[in-house]
């Protein structure tokens, strides 16, 4: 069944969603685990902040603006989807990585790094069908993935990973970021590269 809450704060423990949970207001995530077989839809945006452990093993969808200001790593073993029209705004130099499983970040909207002069490292599968915009510092995609969207911005984009990591940039994709680094793994470019 669909649950509906105005605002939601998760600061510790485990929130296990077995059905669909709609958060119409702001979802504040400062610690703890989002788990379960259900889907949480954040219609009012997400604020991911604080130094505490955060782990997603379920399914979380952002429909508005999510701002990630963490100083520590953000673990995704489940699936995070940044929906079309939504913004995931990275304002840190932290790490997003799987804990034990194979997490996926699906970007259908805009994934943006707007603060932090260092590196934000995304170490799980990253599928981009929207736009990745690197305004400052470096965004390193080191978990592989399949993308048909755009990669742009005045800062640095890095495709990396392990020896067997593969990034597939499909026809229709485009890379126009000012600085691009290819390190480790394989990047297959079938789209536009400027």
């Amino acid at each position: 069944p669909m649950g509906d809450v105005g605002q939601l704060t998760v600061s510790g423990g485990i929130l296990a969603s077995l059905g669909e949970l709609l958060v119409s207001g702001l979802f504040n995530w400062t610690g703890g685990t989002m788990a379960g077989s259900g889907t949480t839809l954040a219609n009012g945006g997400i604020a991911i902040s604080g130094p505490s452990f955060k782990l997603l093993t379920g399914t979380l969808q952002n429909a508005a603006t999510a701002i990630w200001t963490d100083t520590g790593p953000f673990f995704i073993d489940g699936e995070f989807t940044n929906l079309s029209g939504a913004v995931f705004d990275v304002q840190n130099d932290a790490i997003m990585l799987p804990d034990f499983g194979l997490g996926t970040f699906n970007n259908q909207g805009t994934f943006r790094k707007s603060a932090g002069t260092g590196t934000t490292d995304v170490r799980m599968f990253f599928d981009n069908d929207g736009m990745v915009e690197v305004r400052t510092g470096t965004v390193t995609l080191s978990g592989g993935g399949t993308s048909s969207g755009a990669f742009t911005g005045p800062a640095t984009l890095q495709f990396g990973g392990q020896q067997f990591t593969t990034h597939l940039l499909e026809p229709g994709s485009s890379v126009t970021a000012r600085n691009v680094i290819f390190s480790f793994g394989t990047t297959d470019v079938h789209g536009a590269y400027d």
Side-chain angles (χ1 to χ4, degrees):
M2 172 72 83
D4 189 350
V5 296
Q7 288 191 339
L8 176 66
T9 297
V10 177
S11 59
I14 299 173
L15 176 62
S17 174
L18 302 179
E20 294 183 339
L21 176 63
L22 173 65
V23 185
S24 56
L26 184 64
F27 170 27
N28 288 290
W29 194 1
T30 60
T33 298
M34 296 284 296
S37 59
T39 298
T40 299
L41 175 60
N43 265 356
I46 310 171
I48 307 169
S49 63
S52 296
F53 177 92
K54 294 166 199 71
L55 170 63
L56 174 66
T57 62
T59 300
L60 177 59
Q61 298 178 344
N62 173 49
T65 298
I67 299 176
W68 179 31
T69 58
D70 257 353
T71 55
F74 176 25
F75 296 96
I76 297 180
D77 278 355
E79 183 174 307
F80 189 108
T81 299
N82 193 45
L83 296 171
S84 178
V87 175
F88 189 92
D89 191 0
V90 179
Q91 299 182 8
N92 62 33
D93 298 323
I95 302 171
M96 184 184 293
L97 71 166
D99 188 23
F100 294 108
L102 296 174
T104 301
F105 192 106
N106 295 311
N107 180 51
Q108 300 168 3
T110 299
F111 181 95
R112 173 184 299 142
K113 180 173 170 68
S114 65
T117 57
T119 299
T120 298
D121 191 355
V122 180
R123 296 186 182 177
M124 82 277 303
F125 291 117
F126 186 91
D127 298 331
N128 175 39
D129 296 322
M131 177 185 295
V132 172
E133 181 184 12
V134 190
R135 293 185 178 179
T136 183
T138 301
V139 170
T140 298
L141 303 175
S142 56
T146 301
S147 299
S148 61
F151 298 86
T152 187
T156 301
L157 172 69
Q158 180 172 353
F159 293 97
Q162 304 300 316
Q163 180 180 357
F164 301 108
T165 300
T166 299
H167 298 276
L168 175 59
L169 306 184
E170 296 180 322
S173 67
S174 64
V175 179
T176 59
R178 178 168 296 174
N179 304 304
V180 181
I181 299 170
F182 298 97
S183 63
F184 300 104
T186 300
T187 304
D188 291 328
V189 181
H190 297 277
Y193 185 93
D194 184 357

